[in-house]
Amino acid sequence: MVLNRVLYAVALVGALVFHTYYTGWFSWYLLVLAVCLPVFSLICSLPAMRRLRLQPQMDTCCVRGSKAQLVFQNAGRSFMPTPVYRFVITRTDELTGEQTRLRLQLAARGSCVVQVPSAHCGSYHYALSKGRVYDYLGLFALPLRLPTLGACAVLPEAKQPVQLPNLSQFQSRSYRPKYGGGFSEMHELREYQPGDQMRDVHWKLSAKTEALIVREPLEPNRGQVVISLDWAGSRAELDSTLDILLWLSGWLIGREVRHEVCWIDPASFEPQSRTIATSDELNELVKTLLRTRLREATPSIAGRSFPRADWRYHIHPELNTQEVAAT
């Protein structure tokens, strides 16, 4: 815009000098044209400038290594050509706090594509600012309404650890009635009680005993199950930590094992835990971790004891020849 104004000022001065030394009608016509041209450009541009609407389309998540993008296009309708408009995109890496600014200038009805970095897991928040739409000569500007964007989460990919945890210790010591009933491979037989579902009746055995016998589903009576991790290190180490967490926690969910995921908050250095029972809770935990700011000198949780835990697994990143330790 500054360059356009400078060029117009040079053209206006040139027309004025030409009119000073040449008194013919053409010089006067040229001077009037130079003076009126900005006003004419603004009048012609206003309908398109006021109707311009920036419409973004943003991927909210993707798997690490895949493509994710942010697309901008003009959703406004006008019979006039679309003028030039500019805005600034600010991308904030929520893990490190690093900000990247990108200035975009668009025109016509084409779209603009901004790629989301997906080489490592993370959460990238996008915001728009300094939106301006210009007249056709680029001399006047109006503020551009900017939509609110959000964050794109680059998620891990489940990866089985090279050294599996000791699953021989993961045994049920006893069983208890399953809350809410339902299917279970383990069950016990007992007499019918008021409130039992008819679908649970063992009809063959009831016919033999001449009394209603029902199957009562049982579920394992386990102690606390803990997965611990350190939310620190390089981006490659965090990638590996999340890959193993996604696989191991998903393995437990598939066996209907409620478990705790524990780590130390880098901001307060206080232990944090989250109970995981479903895939949705696991996905929400991963997104929460991706929004947790990294901090140097965050202590490790590996040496902390969990007296109530019958089974615990601490995740170590698997990089090069590093080994995974399990307790």
Side-chain angles (χ1 to χ4, degrees):
M1 183 174 180
V2 175
L3 178 60
N4 291 350
R5 288 178 175 177
V6 171
L7 293 177
Y8 171 73
V10 172
L12 183 61
V13 171
L16 182 61
V17 171
F18 180 67
H19 177 67
T20 302
Y21 291 97
Y22 182 77
T23 57
W25 66 271
F26 180 75
S27 64
W28 173 253
Y29 173 79
L30 188 62
L31 179 60
V32 172
L33 179 63
V35 172
C36 297
L37 188 59
V39 179
F40 179 77
S41 173
L42 180 60
I43 293 175
C44 294
S45 306
L46 273 177
M49 294 171 68
R50 295 177 62 88
R51 290 178 177 270
L52 194 147
R53 295 292 183 271
L54 188 62
Q55 180 178 2
Q57 295 180 352
M58 180 178 176
D59 295 328
T60 57
C61 64
C62 70
V63 179
R64 186 181 70 248
S66 62
K67 290 184 178 181
Q69 58 188 17
L70 179 59
V71 181
F72 296 97
Q73 59 184 1
N74 175 24
R77 295 183 178 181
S78 176
F79 62 91
M80 298 294 290
T82 302
V84 173
Y85 55 100
R86 300 175 182 174
F87 54 91
V88 175
I89 304 176
T90 302
R91 183 184 69 216
T92 303
D93 187 342
E94 297 190 86
L95 279 179
T96 63
E98 180 182 358
Q99 290 189 341
T100 303
R101 294 177 180 267
L102 178 63
R103 299 180 181 273
L104 292 182
Q105 174 175 308
L106 304 178
R109 295 188 178 273
S111 60
C112 175
V113 178
V114 177
Q115 298 294 335
V116 177
S118 60
H120 295 287
C121 296
S123 179
Y124 300 94
H125 186 272
Y126 287 84
L128 302 180
S129 61
K130 300 181 180 180
R132 295 289 186 272
V133 55
Y134 300 90
D135 69 303
Y136 294 133
L137 290 181
L139 302 179
F140 301 97
L142 292 179
L144 176 63
R145 293 182 182 179
L146 297 176
T148 301
L149 302 181
C152 179
V154 181
L155 304 176
E157 185 176 3
K159 178 182 177 182
Q160 177 178 328
V162 175
Q163 182 177 338
L164 288 173
N166 188 356
L167 302 180
S168 63
Q169 299 178 6
F170 194 74
Q171 301 294 333
S172 302
R173 301 178 180 178
S174 61
Y175 290 85
R176 61 186 177 189
K178 185 177 181 181
Y179 178 77
F183 174 78
S184 175
E185 294 181 356
M186 300 295 299
H187 61 271
E188 66 177 4
L189 301 175
R190 59 171 176 80
E191 292 186 0
Y192 175 84
Q193 297 177 359
D196 288 338
Q197 300 290 331
M198 297 303 296
R199 64 188 180 191
D200 296 330
V201 175
H202 196 304
W203 295 107
K204 290 185 178 180
L205 187 59
S206 298
K208 292 180 181 180
T209 59
E210 298 183 354
L212 285 179
I213 305 298
V214 299
R215 300 185 183 92
E216 183 173 53
L218 300 177
E219 63 180 359
N221 187 17
R222 297 189 178 98
Q224 187 182 36
V225 177
V226 174
I227 301 175
S228 60
L229 57 93
D230 291 330
W231 195 242
S234 65
R235 298 302 287 267
E237 291 174 332
L238 294 178
D239 291 344
S240 178
T241 296
L242 290 174
D243 289 347
I244 298 174
L245 171 65
L246 196 62
W247 184 90
L248 185 57
S249 186
W251 184 86
L252 295 174
I253 292 172
R255 285 153 182 79
E256 299 183 351
V257 179
R258 183 183 300 269
H259 53 282
E260 301 283 332
V261 177
C262 304
W263 72 97
I264 292 181
D265 182 28
S268 62
F269 291 169
E270 294 293 331
Q272 305 291 322
S273 65
R274 185 73 64 89
T275 301
I276 304 298
T278 64
S279 298
D280 291 339
E281 292 175 346
L282 174 59
N283 292 333
E284 186 61 31
L285 169 63
V286 170
K287 292 181 180 180
T288 299
L289 289 173
L290 293 176
R291 294 191 298 265
T292 301
R293 184 70 59 85
L294 295 173
R295 183 179 175 184
E296 295 183 0
T298 301
S300 174
I301 201 174
R304 297 200 175 213
S305 61
F306 294 84
R308 295 186 300 166
D310 287 347
W311 189 89
R312 180 201 174 187
Y313 180 80
H314 181 74
I315 299 177
H316 289 277
E318 293 183 349
L319 300 176
N320 299 327
T321 58
Q322 293 184 358
E323 297 182 351
V324 177
T327 58

